[in-house]
Amino acid sequence: MINQFKEHIALKFPELLENHFLVACSGGVDSVVLTHLCSLNKMDFSIVHCNFQLRGYESDMDAFFVEDLARKIGKKIYIKDFDTDSYININKVSLQMAARELRYRWFEELMKKNKIKTLVTAHHADDNLETFIINLSRGTGIKGLTGIPAKTSNISRPLLIFSRAQIMQFAEIKNISWREDHSNLDKKYLRNKIREDVIPRLRELHPGFLGNYEATRANLEGSAALLENYLAGIKQELFQQEDDLIRIPINALLKLDPIKVYMYELFHQYGFKEWNDVAGLLTATSGKEIYSQTHRLLKDRQYLLLQPLHPSTVEKYKIDAASGTITKPINMKIDEVKAMGEQSKRILYVDKETLNHKLSIRKWEKGDYFYPFGMNGTKKVSKFYKDEKLDLISKEKQWLLCSGDAIVWIIGRRGDDRFKVTPKTKNILRFTITE
């Protein structure tokens, strides 16, 4: 197993031979064997251990065991104690979800602080089969049936080629000790129930079930790769990127059949799960939108608009015309000129004396109106947006230059007639978008 592991690392994970990495070690047989294999192959790594303090003395003994292991093999160790119960109560998540969020957040912090690129975990072939069955029971696409990825941008799982039986056999032959977590036998957790009840029955059906599954999974990975390449072509053709916004023509989507399958494959990576709602946007009224935890999908006339969710920000910025430049929320130069020069949508000339109030830049608010330059009378900003055929996201991103409550400029689009330069103007102020 040592040589097989070494060859596998050289072939699939060569970066682990060149760079320092972290090994997540719980004290259980899988992670302890992983730690020994990395040590026996003289790899450069440190150990990380999470104490979730869920089993009292037993949890503390796990930490002591892993700390002693690190000392024996001469490796640095990081140990973190978590108040898991409090985290569960505050965030209203399951125990397993809490443990996952806590450990990976800490791993990420450690890696960033110590400039370490890779975390190595002890997932093995049986874990892959369990994940396959879990995903199958919940409903998934082809990607969900390929199991746990051997490698992501910052996590490597070199034990996936080994079964639990192989790992146990190696530990026994090498006289390796480990800690038993008896909560892994608690069948109230789905994964444990599958491990203890379902998989043994599958092996009864066929002794080589795990090996056959691995062959099937490899075939599914190949199919998933073909599908991914095909979908990449569709996205390149239909997904029109505009800054952080993606615009997708609905008429083109409606030509895809079966539509729900395509909608799943095109949008599941953005966190959407309610597929009837996603497909329903195609025939919904304009303005209908749905949200995932990371994105929103909006119907705007003949398009779907996809945009990442941003944390709320200050929507009003006070500015000082005398400062000469501003950088938030947009880059703009402000200067006084003797006469009007170049004309464009990126430049506004105003009569300085008409700016009787403090200047600010803000977003549109309900009821806003202005006096469009070159026109008589007022116009609601919402009507102006409609006439300009702005989609809902573009409306939300549009900034207004204001003097007090009065709109001076729908920035980059239209100035207000009340602030225009006239023959009587003595001082001209020029606003120039510089970004």
Side-chain angles (χ1 to χ4, degrees), residues 181-205:
D181 181 352
H182 295 290
S183 67
N184 288 333
L185 301 176
D186 190 341
K187 295 181 184 179
K188 71 179 180 182
Y189 301 116
L190 177 60
R191 184 175 291 273
N192 293 348
K193 190 172 182 61
I194 290 172
R195 181 182 304 145
E196 297 298 322
D197 293 342
V198 178
I199 292 179
R201 293 294 182 88
L202 294 175
R203 285 200 171 105
E204 286 178 12
L205 292 175

Side-chain angles (χ1 to χ4, degrees), residues 165-182:
Q166 289 175 297
I167 292 170
M168 290 289 293
Q169 184 181 40
F170 178 80
E172 291 168 358
I173 290 173
K174 295 296 182 180
N175 199 29
I176 293 172
S177 59
W178 66 88
R179 294 279 299 170
E180 289 287 359
D181 181 352
H182 295 290

Side-chain angles (χ1 to χ4, degrees), residues 14 62 122 227 230 270-272 298 324 326 331 380 388 402 421 429:
D62 289 348
L227 177 61
Y230 172 67
Y270 304 104
F272 296 101
L298 161 74
I326 61 171
N331 294 316
K380 285 190 173 183
E388 290 286 300
C402 301
V421 174
L429 208 57

Side-chain angles (χ1 to χ4, degrees), residues 234-248:
I234 292 180
K235 286 186 176 181
Q236 185 174 8
E237 180 181 351
L238 301 185
F239 282 41
Q240 304 163 14
Q241 187 80 45
E242 301 174 6
D243 296 325
D244 66 345
L245 172 70
I246 297 175
R247 187 186 301 271
I248 310 113

